[in-house]
Amino acid sequence: MTAAPSALSILQRARALTLYRQLLRAALKMPTPNQQNFIVRKTQIEFREHATLTDPDEIEFQLRLGDTNLDTVMVQAEHLTNLFEDPEHQKDL
């Protein structure tokens, strides 16, 4: 018989699932399919690698790292989308 999960672990799991969904949605904002696929694959790999963590401090660290990665993806998506839509950029292609 296993112990019941703590309230902290339940909250961290919910936060992790929310972060996972946010990262996958953010990937769709990237301007090219290659970039979208990279973000999706990277997200899947990272979450699978850390799915068995049990130390609350390490879980919290990984969640904060994921939040930072989400912010980075959102900024890059906006920047690259603007770049690809810029007529000056299109002339260079």
Side-chain angles (χ1 to χ4, degrees):
M1 183 174 190
T2 61
S6 69
L8 178 62
S9 68
I10 292 170
L11 291 174
Q12 286 177 327
R13 178 174 167 75
R15 189 167 150 216
L17 291 172
T18 298
L19 178 60
Y20 184 77
R21 286 189 294 268
Q22 288 174 324
L23 281 161
L24 294 180
R25 284 189 200 111
L28 298 176
K29 295 181 181 187
M30 289 300 234
T32 68
N34 284 343
Q35 293 163 330
Q36 293 171 1
N37 291 334
F38 174 79
I39 300 298
V40 168
R41 281 193 319 273
K42 182 72 171 162
T43 299
Q44 291 169 336
I45 289 167
E46 289 294 323
F47 272 79
R48 284 184 189 131
E49 283 181 7
H50 298 99
T52 59
L53 289 177
T54 56
D55 178 19
D57 292 334
E58 180 64 21
I59 294 169
E60 183 62 30
F61 173 78
Q62 292 299 330
L63 288 170
R64 287 177 188 253
L65 185 60
D67 287 333
T68 301
N69 289 339
L70 176 60
D71 291 341
T72 301
V73 169
M74 296 299 289
V75 168
Q76 287 179 350
E78 182 179 355
H79 173 73
L80 292 171
T81 299
N82 290 339
L83 183 67
F84 283 117
E85 291 174 353
D86 182 7
E88 288 298 313
H89 175 75
Q90 294 298 324
K91 288 193 303 192
D92 295 337
L93 295 178

